[in-house]
Amino acid sequence: MATTDLLPSVLIGAVASARSMTPMAAISVARLAHRKTPGRLFLLFRFGGLAMGAGELIGDKMKSAPDRTVTLGLLARVLGAGIAGAALAPRGRERRGAAAAVMTAAPMAYLTLALRKRAMARVGQTASGLVEDVLVVTAGAAIVALVVGRSRS
């Protein structure tokens, strides 16, 4: 298997750096559409991932929302990235996919936070959050769609 086989796991880790639950929500939508992921799913349920993703999108706009780099925020990103990274990795390479996603999500959380803070200074918390939502949800959906489209069963 080529090194690029883990590229979807790396990319979904980048998505998790900005929205920890979006990768699981995207996979939940694929599962509801009866699409299978190449890797085994761990701790992911159809409607739960979708509900968590929606809740995060709403909660992010609150003034009291903590930075994504606080301990619990990083933990959520690592867990979300690991689960999704494993699911998008080729069968038998789930651990490597999880590791690739986690190694992307954790440091990228600091970069995406810095970018968000710059955007907040220019257009405010809600507007910058909505733009980030569109970018991140679109990226997460596209990554999952490309992977599950290749692994139909």
Side-chain angles (χ1 to χ4, degrees):
M1 286 191 189
T3 308
T4 57
D5 290 343
L6 296 180
L7 183 59
S9 298
V10 169
L11 294 174
I12 208 70
V15 168
S17 76
R19 295 288 182 275
S20 60
M21 300 298 143
T22 296
M24 292 190 292
I27 292 172
S28 291
V29 170
R31 298 291 292 165
L32 287 167
H34 304 290
R35 301 287 187 185
K36 294 189 179 213
T37 57
R40 288 186 213 97
L41 291 173
F42 299 101
L43 303 175
L44 189 68
F45 39 94
R46 288 183 180 184
F47 294 105
L50 194 55
M52 289 187 295
E56 180 181 36
L57 293 177
I58 294 166
D60 178 66
K61 309 313 168 292
M62 298 172 63
K63 297 280 185 207
S64 61
D67 284 347
R68 62 193 73 181
T69 56
V70 300
T71 302
L72 286 177
L74 282 175
L75 180 61
R77 274 148 186 70
V78 164
L79 290 173
I83 292 167
L88 298 182
R91 179 90 41 181
R93 298 190 71 195
E94 291 92 348
R95 286 184 183 173
R96 288 185 180 156
V102 167
M103 289 190 300
T104 302
M108 285 280 301
Y110 291 91
L111 175 62
T112 58
L113 176 60
L115 293 171
R116 173 71 185 278
K117 284 184 174 182
R118 286 179 68 191
M120 283 172 50
R122 295 182 111 184
V123 299
Q125 182 173 2
T126 302
S128 64
L130 292 172
V131 169
E132 189 178 37
D133 288 347
V134 169
L135 295 172
V136 172
V137 169
T138 300
I143 294 161
V144 171
L146 286 172
V147 173
V148 300
R150 288 187 298 202
S151 59
R152 292 182 183 163
S153 296

